[in-house]
Each structure stands twice: as structure tokens, then as C-alpha cells.
Amino acid sequence: MPASLIPRRAVAVPGGRPVTAVVTAVLCAALLCTAPPAAVATEGAAPHGAPAETPADRAHRDFLDHGPKAGVMTVAHRGQWRKAPENSLAAIRAGFADGAEIVEIDVRLTRDKVPVLMHDETVDRTTNGTGRVADLTLAQLRGLRLRVGLGGRQAAVTAEPVPTLAEAMGAARTLGLVNLDRAWQDREAVWRVLEQTGTVRNGLFKSRAPVPEVRAFLDGHRGALYMHVVDDANAASVAEFGANRPPAFEVVFDDVRDKVAAPAFLQELRATGRLWFNTMREGYAARFTDEASLIDPARGWGALIADYKATVIQTDNVEALRSYLTTGVADPVPPGAVRVQGEDYAPGGRGRAYHDIDPGNRGDGPGRPGEDVDICDHDGAVVVCWMRGSEWLTYGIDVPKDGRYTLKARASSPYAPAGTYRIAYDGGPPGRAVPVANTTAHHAFALQDSRDPRQLARGHHHIRLSLDAGAFQNWNLDYVQLEPVGP
């Protein structure tokens, strides 16, 4: 994954735990350390030569702890796909290394009934192959390679193969828990893998299945870890568990007025277990999303924790959430840097502040009345969208002191090439063409360096971003950021 795709905003809340042992364990595995496991995870080592407690041991214990002081646990959605292909072994390891106690993966069966990791029914989006997983043998899948990040037909192909569930559970065995998404329908095959790999305590089953079906499975599978998914359609199923409730409930609501979002209902669930919320996209927990959290935690993670009693959050921004949980700071601007949101372009209107070739606001976001810049709302990120060749925007930026600065743009695009722009300072000539990197999805934003440093004096400056007319342009701009660089 290019460095430009490393996530940007760092954010935090009370309840986090140090992740040093997790990072050490992952790095040691990557470097083939020769020290025994006890030497890797030294935190909480047992006396008299007993095996040390691993990060996975702690994650299992914490997941079962629903007490009032239970900290918020972090879940890496499809692993850390910002640094490795989604649902890859590298993404699993990176998710744990970046502080997640749980990694979410998606499970499907091959034609020869082997559980493998794949979100979609087909391999088309995430690999260099085509076809349904259920129609391909394991040997055929082994010949494929995963694409960068969230994939897409224009995403680069990596050397990462499609992992089996056995390989994934082996990678996670000492590092943390694994949220087994899409696994319920094939739970017996999945259970056999957990037994064979010694990871029964790592695997977390989940479903919306009828409670008698859930009970039958748990009664016949000693030690199985299970979480029940509830929304308004099956909210009554909670009462069917009686006093023997699962240790966690995943709560899904697309409107704050839903019955499962009511404080009394959530308090009842929280009294006996953990509350899990997904913040990747709008509709999983209303509009309390990752992107909203990165702008202001009170609009996302903070609200879910304070008002909805969240104790587990599944995210596409692992490092940012861990930072928020440990420092309380949301997306800090680097020292000496200046940030301007894309929609906060300079005043002055058409021909002075901007040039847009389409009349009106083509986006669904809060554009300025009477102006033609296209503004979209991507799951809480308010961005300039519908970018087209020959368009330009001007931004006013106050530079804090004399020095050399580089401009970075937080942008997204599933295309390669995605487009190019040029930077002009204070009415001067535009610089060289700056390519926008493929981030593998319109909603996958990444901070990208223009690598076009300029010497700027302290004070107010105007920066114009102009899109090359002769280049393909299809990308979204969240914000621009001037950062100081070395002499």
C-alpha cells in the first residue's frame, strides 16, 4: 500500500489499553523472532515459569467483561485494509499491530467446502480473477492474488493470496479475537477449523438467527463465543434468551428514533453484556460514522460511547479510533501546519474564488447557496466532488511563520489514474502536475503529499488548485493541508 494511503486523522476516549504487547507480538512474528512466546508478551507474565498472558487472552477476558468500568474495544473492519488488501493475512496482522483487539473477516466456502476469506460472493472486486467463490476450488483460488486496499478493477494487484480461514485463525491465535462475519450459515465447517487450529476462544460467531437455533448451536459447541445482532425487526429476540444472554449484542439502527436505539433498551442490554456498534458507513449506527468522528468525536464515536453505551466499535479507521480512546484528541493538525476543508474555499464567487463547468451543486452535500461548486456528503465527510478538467478552486490560508511548506490533499478515488491538479500561490504560475492516487473507493480517503514544496512568508496567502483540462478527473477532495518541511 502506498504511503499516501495510510489513514490520516487521529482521535480518542477513555477506556483504552496499551497496545505495546500486541505490536511486539506482530513484529516478532514478521521478523521470525526466536524467543519463546513468553518472551514476546511480557505484560502480565505468570509466576513460576507459567506461560505469559497473550494479547488474545486479554481480548477474550475483556470481551467477556461487561462491568461498568469495561473499556471500549476496537475492531478492525476487514482487517487494516489501509495497509494491506482487505481480508488478507497482512491486513489481520496490521489490524492487531495498530491496536485492535478484534479483527473482522468475512468467510465463504469454496466449491470443495474449504472456508476462505472473501467478502463478496465473487472474487471480481478484490482479486485478479473472476467468478463465484462457491464455484471455485481452493486450488483455483490459490492461483489468484488480492488487490490493494478495498480492491476494484483498477486497484493494483499485490502478491497476497486469498487466505484460508485456518491460516487466518493461526495468524490471530495469540494476537486477539476474530469477528467471523458471514460465517453463520457455514458454522459447522467454521467450527471444525476453530477446533483444528486451537482457536475456539478466538472466533466470534454472530447472527440474527432465531434464538432456538442459536441455543442449539451453543449447547452443542462447548466454548463457542457468540454475539447476537439486533435491529428493530428482531428486537424482541433479546427477551427470548432469558437470563442466559450472549456476552454481546451488535446493535444496528439507521435512525435515532429506532426502538433499539432507545436509552432504556440499550441500558437493558448493557446490564448483561457489551454493546457493539459499526461506524464504517451511514445506516449501521444512524449517522454516527468514522468520518463524522474524525471531524468531531461528539458526532460519532464520542456520542456512541456517552449516549448509546458503546463498549465495542468496529471501524475502518483503526489507528484514529485507538488514538481517540487513549488521548481524547480527534484528528490533530500537525505542529505548524494549517488545514482548510475543501468546502471552505475562498469567498468571491465564480471567476474569482472558483470555476466549475456544471451549473448548480451536483452533489448531495451542503453547498453554498447560489454557487456552483459541487459538494457531497460521503458518510459524514463533506467533500468537493464531481471534479472535472479545467475547474479550479481558491483557498485562503494563514501561514504561521516563514518557512518551506508542502501542500497535502486528503482525497479519494477508485480510479487509476484518478486525475491531476496544479498549485499556484498568490496569483503566480501553476506548478507541475500532481497526480491523485487511487485509494480504491470513493469513501476511502487518504492524505496525499503533492511533493511540491514552496517557500512561504508568514501571513495570509491564496492557493489555487486547478485541474488539468486534458487529464481524466474523477476524485473527491476532503481538505487541503499545508505542512512545514525541513530546510
Side-chain angles (χ1 to χ4, degrees):
M1 175 76 68
S4 63
L5 299 191
I6 295 175
R8 90 316 180 195
R9 317 194 188 210
V11 196
V13 168
R17 302 196 331 271
V19 296
T20 305
V22 180
V23 176
T24 303
V26 175
L27 292 177
C28 212
L31 297 174
L32 302 178
C33 296
T34 56
V40 175
T42 56
E43 275 187 52
H48 309 301
E53 183 183 52
T54 69
D57 294 331
R58 289 194 293 276
H60 184 270
R61 184 189 65 226
D62 289 350
F63 188 75
L64 297 179
D65 175 13
H66 62 268
K69 295 183 179 180
V72 178
M73 301 182 75
T74 302
V75 188
H77 178 235
R78 303 183 198 175
Q80 177 55 296
W81 57 261
R82 295 182 182 275
K83 294 183 177 178
E86 69 169 61
N87 278 314
S88 66
L89 295 182
I92 291 171
R93 294 186 177 108
F96 287 126
D98 284 342
E101 297 95 343
I102 306 171
V103 163
E104 185 259 5
I105 60 174
D106 302 281
V107 183
R108 293 189 182 274
L109 294 189
T110 64
R111 192 175 77 187
D112 38 358
K113 306 305 180 185
V114 179
V116 296
L117 272 55
M118 187 68 57
H119 179 274
D120 300 354
E121 287 188 359
T122 74
V123 300
D124 297 24
R125 175 177 61 85
T126 56
T127 79
N128 59 345
T130 59
R132 297 176 66 246
V133 178
D135 294 336
L136 300 171
T137 65
L138 177 61
Q140 289 172 315
L141 281 170
R142 285 302 207 189
L144 304 179
R145 291 297 177 265
L146 294 169
R147 294 182 180 274
V148 167
L150 296 175
R153 300 312 293 178
Q154 297 189 39
V157 177
T158 73
E160 291 286 333
V162 176
T164 64
L165 177 61
E167 291 169 335
M169 298 309 299
R173 189 174 63 82
T174 62
L175 300 179
L177 303 186
V178 178
N179 174 20
L180 300 165
D181 205 1
R182 303 180 185 276
W184 185 254
Q185 64 180 4
D186 300 311
R187 55 193 177 277
E188 293 299 338
V190 170
W191 177 257
R192 287 193 293 271
V193 170
L194 300 188
E195 287 192 313
Q196 292 162 4
T197 56
T199 56
V200 166
R201 294 176 78 238
N202 298 79
L204 173 60
F205 289 92
K206 55 181 276 189
S207 81
R208 288 183 172 87
V211 172
E213 181 179 303
V214 174
R215 281 187 179 139
F217 176 75
L218 296 178
D219 288 345
H221 299 77
R222 183 179 178 85
L225 201 58
Y226 177 79
M227 173 174 65
H228 200 58
V229 183
V230 292
D231 54 23
D232 274 7
N234 73 336
S237 67
V238 173
E240 295 180 51
F241 283 104
N244 191 22
R245 290 183 177 179
F249 287 91
E250 178 181 316
V251 181
V252 180
F253 64 101
D254 60 7
D255 192 300
V256 295
R257 296 166 295 185
D258 288 355
K259 67 178 70 173
V260 295
F265 182 84
L266 294 172
Q267 189 61 49
E268 180 190 356
L269 298 184
R270 181 66 186 86
T272 61
R274 284 186 171 267
L275 290 185
W276 176 305
F277 294 93
N278 301 316
T279 57
M280 300 84 68
R281 307 292 297 273
E282 289 180 356
Y284 296 134
R287 293 177 61 86
F288 301 112
T289 63
D290 289 345
E291 290 294 339
S293 304
L294 297 175
I295 296 170
D296 179 1
R299 293 172 51 187
W301 300 327
L304 288 173
I305 293 167
D307 301 331
Y308 294 83
K309 313 306 178 186
T311 53
V312 186
I313 294 176
Q314 182 165 275
T315 179
D316 278 332
N317 292 269
V318 178
E319 291 172 298
L321 175 56
R322 288 305 305 164
S323 178
Y324 174 60
L325 293 173
T326 54
T327 72
V329 178
D331 191 19
V333 177
V338 184
R339 178 182 301 166
V340 179
Q341 297 296 320
E343 68 275 18
D344 292 337
Y345 54 92
R350 174 182 289 276
R352 183 177 178 183
Y354 72 88
H355 171 67
D356 192 293
I357 63 176
D358 303 309
N361 177 12
R362 297 183 66 186
D364 60 354
R368 294 182 189 172
E371 298 196 354
D372 301 320
V373 177
D374 304 313
I375 306 295
C376 293
D377 184 337
H378 285 328
D379 296 301
V382 178
V383 304
V384 180
C385 54
W386 292 96
M387 309 282 269
R388 296 296 180 260
S390 80
E391 296 182 342
W392 50 263
L393 288 163
T394 301
Y395 293 94
I397 294 184
D398 293 310
V399 174
K401 66 177 183 179
D402 296 354
R404 283 174 61 79
Y405 291 83
T406 185
L407 184 138
K408 296 182 179 181
R410 188 177 190 250
S412 70
S413 178
Y415 299 102
T420 58
Y421 66 91
R422 297 173 189 266
I423 311 167
Y425 290 85
D426 299 318
R432 63 175 180 80
V434 178
V436 178
N438 175 356
T439 64
T440 71
H442 278 302
H443 64 274
F445 289 91
L447 190 59
Q448 305 180 28
D449 193 343
S450 68
R451 303 188 185 282
D452 186 14
R454 304 290 180 92
Q455 182 71 29
L456 298 174
R458 178 179 180 273
H460 191 73
H461 294 267
H462 283 94
I463 300 177
R464 175 175 291 185
L465 266 62
S466 56
L467 280 62
D468 286 336
F472 173 82
Q473 305 282 355
N474 197 327
W475 53 286
N476 306 292
L477 175 65
D478 182 23
Y479 63 67
V480 294
Q481 184 163 289
L482 270 183
E483 293 186 13
V485 295

